[in-house]
């Protein structure tokens, strides 16, 4: 009986961990609602070359959602809505206003994560 109870408990723990890891975030999870829902002037939504993949337009809703999801999933942070929203808050800090390159923005968020 103990083996079965142990197995059941471990299975529930694993299911819980998988659910937490697989949580999806979307625009409804954003704190701020002042993003444009389309591309901004000068940004071609059909252009997905290297330059577009390297930059983050922090005014466009879909880019902010994508960046926040990617950070939460790619870094050792809790996979929660709070973490998703924390990334959003960090990239909106005045110190991040001139950071547009994805790699640099990831480094900035990671560096300041435990300070906020």
């Amino acid at each position: 009986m103990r083996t079965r109870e142990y197995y059941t408990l471990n299975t529930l723990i694993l299911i819980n961990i998988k659910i937490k890891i697989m949580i999806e975030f979307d625009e409804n999870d954003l704190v701020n609602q002042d993003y444009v829902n389309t591309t901004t002037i000068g940004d071609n939504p059909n252009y997905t070359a290297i330059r577009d993949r390297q930059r983050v337009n922090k005014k466009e809703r879909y880019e902010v959602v994508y960046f926040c999801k990617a950070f939460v999933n790619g870094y050792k942070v809790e996979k929660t809505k709070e973490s998703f929203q924390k990334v959003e808050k960090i990239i909106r800090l005045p110190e991040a206003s001139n950071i547009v390159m994805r790699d640099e923005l990831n480094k900035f968020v990671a560096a300041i994560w435990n300070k906020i």
Side-chain angles (χ1 to χ4, degrees), residues 10-11 13 16-18 33 55 60 66 73 78 85 89 96 107 109 116:
N10 280 338
T11 302
I13 291 169
N16 190 32
I17 290 170
K18 285 182 180 179
Q33 299 301 314
R55 294 176 170 265
E60 293 179 6
Y66 180 83
N73 288 324
E78 289 187 48
Q85 291 176 339
K89 290 174 186 174
K107 289 176 190 173
V109 174
I116 293 183

Side-chain angles (χ1 to χ4, degrees), residues 79-91:
K79 313 301 183 210
T80 62
K81 180 178 176 178
E82 290 76 20
S83 292
F84 175 86
Q85 291 176 339
K86 185 173 181 177
V87 176
E88 179 191 6
K89 290 174 186 174
I90 291 172
I91 67 173

Side-chain angles (χ1 to χ4, degrees), residues 41-57:
I41 297 171
D43 192 7
N44 182 347
N46 299 316
Y47 178 75
T48 56
I50 191 85
R51 184 175 150 240
D52 206 43
R53 289 189 302 267
Q54 292 175 340
R55 294 176 170 265
V56 178
N57 186 328

Side-chain angles (χ1 to χ4, degrees), residues 14-30:
L14 286 173
I15 290 170
N16 190 32
I17 290 170
K18 285 182 180 179
I19 289 170
K20 284 184 178 181
I21 291 172
M22 295 170 65
I23 292 174
E24 282 293 320
F25 305 104
D26 62 27
E27 62 187 44
N28 296 315
D29 296 312
L30 293 169

